[in-house]
mmCIF file of all heavy atoms in Angstrom:
data_model
loop_
_atom_site.group_PDB
_atom_site.id
_atom_site.type_symbol
_atom_site.label_atom_id
_atom_site.label_comp_id
_atom_site.label_asym_id
_atom_site.label_seq_id
_atom_site.Cartn_x
_atom_site.Cartn_y
_atom_site.Cartn_z
ATOM 1 N N GLN A 382 -29.905 19.478 30.104
ATOM 2 C CA GLN A 382 -28.797 20.102 29.420
ATOM 3 C C GLN A 382 -28.393 19.402 28.137
ATOM 4 O O GLN A 382 -27.876 20.010 27.195
ATOM 5 C CB GLN A 382 -27.559 20.179 30.368
ATOM 6 C CG GLN A 382 -27.778 21.082 31.559
ATOM 7 C CD GLN A 382 -28.070 22.514 31.164
ATOM 8 O OE1 GLN A 382 -27.343 23.098 30.352
ATOM 9 N NE2 GLN A 382 -29.120 23.063 31.743
ATOM 10 N N SER A 383 -28.611 18.097 28.066
ATOM 11 C CA SER A 383 -28.206 17.340 26.872
ATOM 12 C C SER A 383 -29.187 17.594 25.743
ATOM 13 O O SER A 383 -30.381 17.289 25.848
ATOM 14 C CB SER A 383 -28.152 15.847 27.202
ATOM 15 O OG SER A 383 -27.821 15.113 26.060
ATOM 16 N N ARG A 384 -28.682 18.192 24.695
ATOM 17 C CA ARG A 384 -29.557 18.497 23.547
ATOM 18 C C ARG A 384 -28.675 18.495 22.294
ATOM 19 O O ARG A 384 -27.480 18.529 22.344
ATOM 20 C CB ARG A 384 -30.256 19.850 23.729
ATOM 21 C CG ARG A 384 -29.321 21.023 23.960
ATOM 22 C CD ARG A 384 -30.137 22.264 24.266
ATOM 23 N NE ARG A 384 -30.894 22.134 25.495
ATOM 24 C CZ ARG A 384 -31.859 22.965 25.875
ATOM 25 N NH1 ARG A 384 -32.218 23.958 25.087
ATOM 26 N NH2 ARG A 384 -32.497 22.770 27.011
ATOM 27 N N PRO A 385 -29.322 18.464 21.091
ATOM 28 C CA PRO A 385 -28.512 18.400 19.862
ATOM 29 C C PRO A 385 -27.666 19.646 19.660
ATOM 30 O O PRO A 385 -27.994 20.729 20.140
ATOM 31 C CB PRO A 385 -29.573 18.279 18.755
ATOM 32 C CG PRO A 385 -30.835 17.855 19.447
ATOM 33 C CD PRO A 385 -30.759 18.410 20.832
ATOM 34 N N ALA A 386 -26.555 19.441 18.966
ATOM 35 C CA ALA A 386 -25.757 20.578 18.536
ATOM 36 C C ALA A 386 -26.445 21.240 17.334
ATOM 37 O O ALA A 386 -27.340 20.661 16.710
ATOM 38 C CB ALA A 386 -24.349 20.118 18.139
ATOM 39 N N ILE A 387 -26.000 22.446 16.983
ATOM 40 C CA ILE A 387 -26.609 23.203 15.865
ATOM 41 C C ILE A 387 -25.514 23.453 14.829
ATOM 42 O O ILE A 387 -24.426 23.893 15.154
ATOM 43 C CB ILE A 387 -27.161 24.545 16.317
ATOM 44 C CG1 ILE A 387 -28.078 24.372 17.534
ATOM 45 C CG2 ILE A 387 -27.866 25.266 15.199
ATOM 46 C CD1 ILE A 387 -29.285 23.529 17.282
ATOM 47 N N VAL A 388 -25.843 23.181 13.571
ATOM 48 C CA VAL A 388 -25.027 23.604 12.447
ATOM 49 C C VAL A 388 -25.772 24.713 11.730
ATOM 50 O O VAL A 388 -26.807 24.468 11.068
ATOM 51 C CB VAL A 388 -24.707 22.434 11.474
ATOM 52 C CG1 VAL A 388 -24.025 23.006 10.228
ATOM 53 C CG2 VAL A 388 -23.774 21.436 12.160
ATOM 54 N N ALA A 389 -25.321 25.970 11.895
ATOM 55 C CA ALA A 389 -25.962 27.112 11.271
ATOM 56 C C ALA A 389 -25.407 27.319 9.867
ATOM 57 O O ALA A 389 -24.188 27.445 9.700
ATOM 58 C CB ALA A 389 -25.752 28.350 12.137
ATOM 59 N N LYS A 390 -26.294 27.384 8.907
ATOM 60 C CA LYS A 390 -25.857 27.530 7.503
ATOM 61 C C LYS A 390 -25.829 29.029 7.154
ATOM 62 O O LYS A 390 -26.834 29.714 7.215
ATOM 63 C CB LYS A 390 -26.788 26.778 6.570
ATOM 64 C CG LYS A 390 -26.787 25.271 6.833
ATOM 65 C CD LYS A 390 -27.660 24.559 5.813
ATOM 66 C CE LYS A 390 -27.603 23.054 6.084
ATOM 67 N NZ LYS A 390 -28.432 22.313 5.109
ATOM 68 N N ILE A 391 -24.627 29.492 6.776
ATOM 69 C CA ILE A 391 -24.433 30.895 6.428
ATOM 70 C C ILE A 391 -24.490 30.983 4.914
ATOM 71 O O ILE A 391 -23.625 30.504 4.202
ATOM 72 C CB ILE A 391 -23.070 31.367 6.960
ATOM 73 C CG1 ILE A 391 -22.964 31.136 8.456
ATOM 74 C CG2 ILE A 391 -22.831 32.831 6.603
ATOM 75 C CD1 ILE A 391 -24.060 31.807 9.276
ATOM 76 N N GLU A 392 -25.563 31.651 4.401
ATOM 77 C CA GLU A 392 -25.857 31.581 2.973
ATOM 78 C C GLU A 392 -25.932 32.963 2.320
ATOM 79 O O GLU A 392 -26.155 33.027 1.099
ATOM 80 C CB GLU A 392 -27.193 30.842 2.755
ATOM 81 C CG GLU A 392 -27.174 29.440 3.339
ATOM 82 C CD GLU A 392 -28.500 28.752 3.251
ATOM 83 O OE1 GLU A 392 -29.306 28.925 4.194
ATOM 84 O OE2 GLU A 392 -28.756 28.051 2.268
#
Side-chain angles (χ1 to χ4, degrees):
Q382 295 300 310
S383 178
R384 56 186 64 194
I387 309 298
V388 171
K390 297 184 179 181
I391 304 303
E392 303 174 272

